Amino acid sequence: MCANVIVAEDDEKQAELVRRYLEHEGHAVTVVGDGLAALDEVRHKDKEPDLLVLDVMMERADGLDVLRVLRAERRELPVLMLTARTTEDDLLLGLDLGADDYMTKPYSPRELMARVRTLLRRTRRTPDAPPATGATDEVLSVGALRVDPVRYEVSVDGAYVECTPGEFRILAAMAAEPERVFSRQRLLEELHGFDRYISNRTVDVHIMNLRKKIEPAPRKPTRLLTVFGVGYKLTDPATKRAPRASS
């Protein structure tokens, strides 16, 4: 599972440790020490990197700013964030901006490598990577929504929708079983590999972001519905029955 990985970490000892572990697993590693250098490295690579390991607290643009810019540029490379911040709000902010995984310091390098392997598999950056849980080789259709597990693509009414790997996994699982109500815990299982501070609110953030992308009016969803007290379900708005007229 050889991959091209950029490590953006301003702590030289920490960066060297991460580099050694990644190279031991066969990855090609480039280390940079600040946020602007990370942006330059991503932009000037001949081929987009397979993974960015991104420290949050850096000078010359912190990790969150780097992530904002990368997603605004529609760059889809997977991002694993490292931070000393341990609050749930920090975790949710990182996920909301488009991070694919999030680890808090101090962490075990061996756990970090396990996260890297999982993330590379999930984002299908390797030839033997399996499709998302519950997905098949067939395009999944729920009304005008299409989810392609092979190409890792989502579209609505023929228009491409950009999703993070976490968002894609949730959507693929739900599209494989339309009308099924998924509990938050069940959807959390689709997001395996996240930090131990993960919570049900993480699912809510992903659902909120997905609604912005697939709903005509995100505040009044018709596809990705809340089932109060239970969880969420994916439905085809065109199949909704009109209410019966009162007699």
Side-chain angles (χ1 to χ4, degrees):
M1 190 187 295
C2 180
N4 292 311
V5 182
I6 296 176
V7 176
E9 169 65 76
D10 60 357
D11 184 320
E12 293 183 3
K13 291 183 179 180
Q14 193 76 18
E16 177 62 17
L17 179 65
V18 174
R19 181 190 66 79
R20 290 205 309 267
Y21 270 83
L22 286 168
E23 289 182 345
H24 180 73
E25 297 219 346
H27 303 304
V29 184
T30 301
V31 176
V32 296
D34 62 72
L36 292 185
L39 286 173
D40 288 341
E41 192 64 34
V42 171
R43 289 165 172 167
H44 295 137
K45 286 280 189 184
D46 293 334
K47 180 181 178 182
E48 186 167 276
D50 298 296
L51 177 66
L52 172 61
V53 180
L54 181 63
D55 185 33
V56 170
M57 300 174 68
M58 294 185 295
E59 297 182 358
R60 301 181 69 226
D62 68 17
L64 295 175
D65 289 333
V66 171
L67 186 56
R68 286 188 183 96
V69 171
L70 292 175
R71 295 315 188 214
E73 293 179 350
R74 301 180 66 83
R75 297 183 184 273
E76 300 180 4
L77 77 159
V79 176
L80 192 163
M81 303 202 76
L82 307 176
T83 182
R85 300 172 181 173
T86 60
T87 68
E88 185 182 71
D89 287 342
D90 290 325
L91 165 63
L92 295 175
L93 177 58
L95 296 176
D96 192 25
L97 291 175
D100 301 289
D101 204 346
Y102 198 107
M103 290 190 69
T104 54
K105 299 178 180 179
Y107 55 80
S108 160
R110 297 174 72 178
E111 181 185 358
L112 175 61
M113 293 306 103
R115 299 288 191 91
V116 167
R117 289 191 294 271
T118 298
L119 187 53
L120 289 172
R121 285 196 300 268
R122 276 180 13 213
T123 53
R124 301 178 63 84
R125 295 279 176 159
T126 56
D128 60 345
T133 302
T136 69
D137 289 342
E138 298 180 357
V139 175
L140 305 169
S141 299
V142 184
L145 175 70
R146 302 286 188 275
V147 180
D148 189 333
V150 174
R151 294 181 177 84
Y152 243 64
E153 292 178 351
V154 176
S155 64
V156 177
D157 292 321
Y160 174 73
V161 176
E162 182 178 330
C163 293
T164 67
E167 292 165 0
F168 185 90
R169 289 185 67 82
I170 286 177
L171 202 56
M174 298 182 78
E177 300 183 76
E179 299 294 339
R180 172 184 171 179
V181 179
F182 286 76
S183 68
R184 287 177 174 84
Q185 183 58 44
R186 177 67 185 86
L187 293 176
L188 276 174
E189 293 173 7
E190 294 298 327
L191 299 171
H192 64 85
F194 282 98
D195 193 85
R196 61 184 177 277
Y197 292 98
I198 198 168
S199 73
N200 286 342
R201 285 186 60 198
T202 304
V203 171
D204 296 335
V205 170
H206 283 300
I207 294 294
M208 178 183 67
N209 288 339
L210 281 169
R211 282 173 172 164
K212 292 176 183 177
K213 298 176 179 182
I214 69 172
E215 295 281 5
R219 292 181 179 275
K220 297 180 179 180
T222 57
R223 289 191 175 95
L224 193 45
L225 305 180
T226 299
V227 180
F228 292 100
V230 184
Y232 300 99
K233 70 175 180 178
L234 188 66
T235 188
D236 177 6
T239 63
K240 285 187 176 181
R241 296 180 180 177
R244 292 183 179 179
S246 57
S247 56

